[in-house]
Amino acid sequence: MEKTPQGTTVGVDDPYEHAGVCDHLTDDGRCRFAFEHPEQDREFARERRADDFACPVVAVGTDSAGFADDADGDPEWADCPHFRSRNRDRECVRCGLAERRMAHSDERPLLEEHHLSYAGTGENLSHEITVYLCRWCHAKVHDSWARITDDAAPDPEAVAAAEQRRSREQDELGFESAADRYDP
Ligand SMILES: [Zn+2]
Ligand SMILES: [Zn+2]
């Protein structure tokens, strides 16, 4: 299993299998990194520019200069030096618990961002890949006995915490609409 730099497990064998599409990919298949941050990698930006900024991973199969496909034809994000995928779904990838954020509250979030892979430094090509895990699954994954692919139900404590927030949310909403109603 993959490990974090601190040596704890990340809960998967192949982070790329769980990565979404690249954060830099635009809806029309272009590389946003190359036109927004050309100064960070001039050679890469020049190559993309020559190819109308087509993403070198998803462009494979067209006549543009992309990276090679693997056998099953999936794009190989691992080949791109600037791939980054930070998950945006606000629910736990392991148990499905959804985030509940109270307005005007600085309570600790139910979900935490978990790194499957870290951005590489120097010679090592590696990428920042993150997913969301609830606090409970996150602890289990770092304790090394849970995997993010487990078919797990939310921890009873997690359900209780989410439920508590939900009812407080409703109290606040109820209070606000009651105040509206009786406002002269
Ligand atoms: Zn969870
Ligand atoms: Zn983590």
Side-chain angles (χ1 to χ4, degrees), residues 91-98 110-111 132-138 140 152-155 158:
E91 61 173 45
C92 174
V93 291
R94 183 166 177 270
C95 74
L97 188 82
L110 298 177
L111 300 187
Y132 279 109
L133 286 170
C134 72
R135 270 151 44 191
W136 295 267
C137 290
H138 200 183
K140 291 169 189 167
D155 191 280

Side-chain angles (χ1 to χ4, degrees), residues 19-40:
V21 298
C22 179
D23 293 350
H24 304 302
L25 181 68
T26 66
D27 290 343
D28 58 355
R30 284 160 213 266
C31 176
R32 194 179 290 122
F33 180 89
F35 58 76
E36 284 182 0
H37 308 287
E39 76 289 350
Q40 291 188 22

Side-chain angles (χ1 to χ4, degrees), residues 111-166:
L111 300 187
E112 295 170 341
E113 196 172 23
H114 169 67
H115 277 83
L116 297 181
S117 174
Y118 290 81
T121 47
E123 298 294 285
N124 297 337
L125 181 60
S126 79
H127 301 96
E128 186 170 28
I129 301 175
T130 69
V131 294
Y132 279 109
L133 286 170
C134 72
R135 270 151 44 191
W136 295 267
C137 290
H138 200 183
K140 291 169 189 167
V141 166
H142 283 289
D143 282 349
S144 299
W145 61 266
R147 300 173 68 91
I148 72 165
T149 47
D150 294 338
D151 189 11
D155 191 280
E157 269 183 46
V159 175
E163 182 55 34
Q164 206 187 23
R165 289 191 188 191
R166 195 182 65 87

